Amino acid sequence: MQNRLNKELQDLTQTSPLHGVQITADANNRLLWTAVVAGPEGTAYQGGKFKLTITFPENYPFKAPQFIFTTKIFHPNITEKGEFCEDMIETKEQWQPTKTVKQVLEKILNILGQVNTEQALNPKAMELYKSDKGKFEEAVRQETQKFAQ
């Protein structure tokens, strides 16, 4: 497992980093990484820096890591606690040992740029998104300025 984690970390930090994502491994806990995700350009999240913890199980890659935003984020598909729908980021039944952290981070970036109206995890955000997208985007910008700078 440690070789796999080292290889993925090297890929994300040196070989082929994702645009707008910075990864660091916890020096004291090999099973904990932190990602800082830049809000995608052209979205209401643009300009924000959102911290995400990635916690690996002991039996990784046979079991999926857990991804949780620790920076407050107002999004219909992310709970107020920063949790994702595991089906949306494919870390539940769809998880396969061949999947990588990078693939999940790409899905997370896509979620920030595109709301799935079938997966409401934050009912208040979803209701505002469906009723008035302009007000939703303004609320996102305000939350981003307040919490994600």
Side-chain angles (χ1 to χ4, degrees):
M1 172 184 57
Q2 192 59 46
N3 286 342
R4 167 75 180 260
L5 287 175
N6 289 340
K7 184 177 183 300
E8 286 196 52
L9 183 63
Q10 183 176 0
D11 183 50
L12 283 164
T13 58
Q14 297 170 12
T15 309
S16 157
L18 281 174
H19 177 73
V21 179
Q22 295 177 315
I23 302 281
T24 55
D26 187 300
N28 300 315
N29 182 350
R30 65 185 174 85
L31 300 177
L32 182 63
W33 291 2
T34 300
V36 177
V37 177
E41 292 181 25
T43 72
Y45 301 98
Q46 183 174 332
K49 301 276 188 213
F50 301 91
K51 190 182 268 189
L52 181 72
T53 59
I54 305 167
T55 307
F56 295 91
E58 285 287 343
N59 58 347
Y60 180 79
F62 301 103
K63 187 171 182 225
Q66 181 181 42
F67 294 77
I68 297 179
F69 274 113
T70 55
T71 302
K72 186 174 171 68
I73 185 166
F74 187 67
H75 191 286
N77 305 130
I78 302 169
T79 70
E80 291 187 29
K81 294 179 182 177
E83 301 165 329
F84 296 88
C85 173
E86 291 180 326
D87 288 337
M88 286 183 71
I89 59 173
E90 297 182 0
T91 56
K92 205 169 183 173
E93 286 87 24
Q94 307 96 322
W95 181 260
Q96 298 290 324
T98 55
K99 287 196 178 170
T100 64
V101 170
K102 185 175 190 173
Q103 290 169 321
V104 177
L105 288 169
E106 288 170 337
K107 289 184 181 306
I108 290 169
L109 288 170
N110 287 335
I111 288 168
L112 290 179
Q114 190 173 347
V115 172
N116 178 340
T117 56
E118 303 298 314
Q119 297 283 340
L121 296 181
N122 182 330
K124 181 180 174 185
M126 185 62 79
E127 178 61 36
L128 189 56
Y129 178 82
K130 287 181 174 180
S131 66
D132 190 332
K133 193 170 179 187
K135 282 186 181 177
F136 167 78
E137 289 177 350
E138 181 56 33
V140 167
R141 281 190 283 278
Q142 288 176 2
E143 292 268 326
T144 298
Q145 287 178 350
K146 188 173 181 180
F147 298 108
Q149 296 300 312

